[in-house]
Amino acid sequence: MRKMTRRELALIFGAGALAGTARGSTWKRSVKPGVVGLAEASSRLGEPLGAEAARLAMAGALAASVGAESGVEAASSIFSPRDVVGIKVNCLAGKNLSPRVELVDALVDLIAEAGVDRGRIIVFERSNRELQRAGFSIRESGPPYRCVGTNNDYDRDPSTSGAIGSCFARMVSTTCSALVSFGVVKDHDLAGVSAGMKNWYGVIHNPNKYHQNGCDPYITDVARHPFIRNKLRLTVLDGVIAQCHGGPAFRRGGIFELGRVAASTDPVAADLWAWREIEAERARRGMPTLEAAGRPVRFLATSAKAGLGVDDPTRLTLVSA
């Protein structure tokens, strides 16, 4: 794995790739397999990040992820004004370990400045209660954006994908044309890692059925369903405060100040980066690897085989803002 600058990345991808950032281009031109954009964002547990710092971090990570000159240019390459953009946040762990509202606000601002009407941007989670516990305000309409729980509004009939059979939230099956997974960097007591990909368990009606064998292949099967695979444009991970032990719920003794925001058009690569950071912190603490602790991260290899992204560390490219 080699760290690269945004300028180096742009040169490698070439003028043709950069031309894909023009408004009206197809978003698939901006997909960068194995590339994760990173930006620094430091704040202590329980302290706000601040709107300006959040904007800088979000814009920097987003631009770095696709080799764009700015966060707005990056958003323009990923989203169309015709899109209805759904941002799925992971608020299971409450305010201490959920995506920071100020970072979500910053992402919404960038998408809006790229030409998507704020009324077409929806931040959502499984329930209003979970959103409120994480500090979000429920809004059925904007501005600055809609923020609602799916609140058991599922398709009437289940659909299948691999080993799963589930009713999907209408938010992803019907309402939204483009999706963002906005997760946090944390461990998981069964899957090993809960970052961007496992976040999609929050859009099926029966996630409790799919936790055997480290949630493998079920995380992959949810993510490769057309409702997700054909609409997922971006994964964003809040790593300002991360957790290496005790997840997926918040556990004070397991947190650490990672001080990073990550963005990637490759959902597997984003989770691979999160996994590496969690393992690095566990090593610093003298803790066993997740595999040695009985929580091997199996789903990334399965997801890579399904064509969802890159799980090979030698093909992981970290681009700093």
Side-chain angles (χ1 to χ4, degrees):
M1 182 195 69
R2 175 180 172 235
K3 292 187 177 181
M4 302 175 67
T5 67
R6 193 167 58 203
R7 185 174 296 278
E8 288 176 320
L9 181 69
L11 289 173
I12 287 175
F13 288 137
L18 289 178
T21 64
R23 192 174 296 275
S25 64
T26 60
W27 69 269
K28 289 186 178 181
R29 295 182 185 177
S30 293
V31 174
K32 303 293 184 284
V35 176
V36 178
L38 299 172
E40 294 184 2
S42 298
S43 180
R44 294 186 180 276
L45 180 67
E47 295 181 356
L49 182 59
E52 183 176 355
R55 167 79 181 210
L56 287 172
M58 193 68 258
L62 188 57
S65 71
V66 297
E69 290 299 317
S70 70
V72 174
E73 181 183 310
S76 295
S77 74
I78 298 170
F79 305 103
S80 161
R82 297 182 298 276
D83 280 322
V84 175
V85 181
I87 302 173
K88 168 62 172 71
V89 289
N90 185 338
C91 300
L92 173 69
K95 193 166 186 176
N96 284 324
L97 199 61
S98 295
R100 289 167 178 262
V101 174
E102 54 267 39
L103 285 172
V104 176
D105 288 349
L107 176 60
V108 170
D109 287 347
L110 292 168
I111 295 172
E113 290 168 32
V116 180
D117 187 273
R118 289 181 179 273
R120 300 172 71 88
I121 303 173
I122 310 169
V123 174
F124 71 96
E125 177 50 304
R126 293 183 300 181
S127 69
N128 288 356
R129 180 180 60 84
E130 287 180 301
L131 286 164
Q132 290 170 320
R133 285 181 58 232
F136 291 90
S137 298
I138 302 303
R139 288 184 296 270
E140 294 292 341
S141 61
Y145 52 86
R146 291 177 61 193
C147 185
V148 294
T150 58
N151 299 320
N152 295 318
D153 183 18
Y154 295 108
D155 289 335
R156 178 176 299 180
D157 298 317
S159 55
T160 60
S161 175
I164 70 158
S166 296
C167 297
F168 280 73
R170 283 168 42 82
M171 186 71 75
V172 299
S173 68
T174 306
T175 303
C176 297
S177 64
L179 295 171
V180 178
S181 178
F182 205 131
V184 293
V185 178
K186 61 179 177 178
D187 71 303
H188 190 275
D189 57 359
L190 296 173
V193 170
S194 178
M197 294 193 69
K198 195 174 184 304
N199 189 21
W200 294 116
Y201 266 39
V203 301
I204 59 174
H205 85 287
N206 56 350
N208 57 299
K209 292 182 61 177
Y210 303 118
H211 284 84
Q212 308 98 317
N213 194 45
C215 305
D216 181 58
Y218 311 111
I219 291 176
T220 300
D221 288 342
V222 173
R224 70 176 178 166
H225 190 286
F227 292 155
I228 308 300
R229 184 174 193 164
N230 293 348
K231 298 181 181 183
L232 181 58
R233 308 285 179 86
L234 180 69
T235 297
V236 178
L237 298 179
D238 181 345
V240 179
I241 299 293
Q243 184 164 293
C244 69
H245 185 66
F250 171 71
R251 180 171 175 173
R252 188 174 294 271
I255 65 165
F256 62 104
E257 295 178 10
L258 179 55
R260 296 286 187 277
V261 174
S264 183
T265 55
D266 182 333
V268 181
D271 276 22
L272 174 61
W273 169 78
W275 179 16
R276 290 166 61 90
E277 294 295 341
I278 289 168
E279 294 283 27
E281 179 63 19
R282 291 177 66 88
R284 281 190 287 270
R285 297 185 180 200
M287 300 175 69
T289 65
L290 290 169
E291 182 171 9
R295 298 184 283 159
V297 181
R298 297 187 176 102
F299 68 89
L300 289 183
T302 304
S303 296
K305 289 178 183 176
L308 298 181
V310 171
D311 77 321
D312 182 353
T314 66
R315 296 175 57 203
L316 180 65
T317 302
L318 304 182
V319 184
S320 297

